[in-house]
Amino acid sequence: MSHPPKAPAPSRPCRWQLAAGLALVLFAALAALLAEQSWAPFGFERDADDWSAAHRPSAARTVAVVITSLGSGAVPYLLALAAGAVALLGLAAPRPPRRAVVLLLAPVLWLLLGQLLRAGLMQLFARPRPPRPDWATDASGFSFPSGHSFTSAVCAGLLALSVARARPAAARAATAIAVVFAAAVGLSRIYLGVHWPLDVLGGWLLATAWLALGTAAARGVARASRSAQ
């Protein structure tokens, strides 16, 4: 007696999907909390801004400006391109030229898509920045989520993930460097008076969700490609 073939078991969400979901929930909760506050700063945020303005000697300000510059401009895209290069070099077998180009540029494209999402959310929420007299560097646009915090975390995370995949022994070091890099850029935005602390936290949460979502999507594409072979 033959038995009917079993239906394939439903796929479970991977840890990256779960991480993306958790980070998005936390980001949404933070945004809702700020909206309930009419996007005004909390007392501890005002205190952080006041402390930064009162403890900003010239040398410290110069260092902070240099650090904060790493979270915008060409640097994040060069780091994302480096992530693609590491992923390409880490392949066991060479890819056809077209697929190699896609793999090389995928992290840059993912960063660009994330920037569009972040910019749209920033315009939607329209949270005002700290008072302009407290600024120690130039800034534009609204405040939440912090663009520098998001960008630095995403580009550093993309590079760390590529290094971890290509050389698992270097995963811890790459992760630690990425965390320090993203933390330094984010905290510099508070110290320079152009973001409230929760703006930076929001940028980090959104970046975490975006990185996890991208990793889950990349692994799904890789599995589908192997199945098709």
Side-chain angles (χ1 to χ4, degrees):
M1 180 178 179
S2 62
H3 296 281
K6 293 183 179 179
S11 59
R12 297 180 181 177
C14 72
R15 61 188 177 117
W16 293 105
Q17 291 171 321
L18 295 174
L22 177 60
L24 283 174
V25 167
L26 292 174
F27 176 81
L30 179 59
L33 181 66
L34 289 170
E36 181 68 21
Q37 182 83 357
S38 298
W39 301 103
F42 288 89
F44 75 90
E45 293 187 287
R46 292 186 186 276
D47 292 342
D49 187 62
D50 291 343
W51 184 92
S52 296
H55 298 81
R56 201 184 287 148
S58 177
R61 176 190 175 277
T62 299
V63 171
V65 168
V66 171
I67 292 173
T68 212
S69 68
L70 301 176
S72 65
V75 172
Y77 294 95
L78 290 175
L79 291 177
L81 188 62
V86 170
L88 191 59
L89 293 173
L91 292 176
R95 292 285 181 93
R98 184 175 298 179
R99 290 189 179 183
V101 171
V102 170
L103 184 61
L104 177 66
L105 297 181
V108 176
L109 295 175
W110 194 247
L111 177 59
L112 280 170
L113 287 174
Q115 294 285 42
L116 292 175
L117 171 65
R118 188 267 311 163
L121 291 173
M122 185 179 279
Q123 292 295 321
L124 175 65
F125 298 141
R127 189 187 195 197
R129 289 183 183 271
R132 188 175 288 269
D134 294 342
W135 294 9
T137 190
D138 294 330
S140 61
F142 294 110
S143 199
F144 179 86
S146 165
H148 281 67
S149 303
F150 172 84
T151 305
S152 59
V154 170
C155 70
L158 287 170
L159 183 53
L161 287 167
S162 287
V163 170
R165 185 172 180 81
R167 299 194 66 178
R172 287 189 178 182
T175 301
I177 293 172
V179 169
V180 169
F181 178 80
V185 173
L187 293 176
S188 74
R189 304 304 286 168
I190 302 170
Y191 184 68
L192 292 170
V194 291
H195 275 293
W196 303 110
L198 292 183
D199 301 334
V200 172
L201 177 59
W204 288 338
L205 287 173
L206 187 61
T208 300
W210 195 243
L211 282 169
L213 185 62
T215 303
R219 294 195 171 198
V221 170
R223 283 195 299 269
S225 177
R226 287 195 298 268
S227 299
Q229 292 175 355

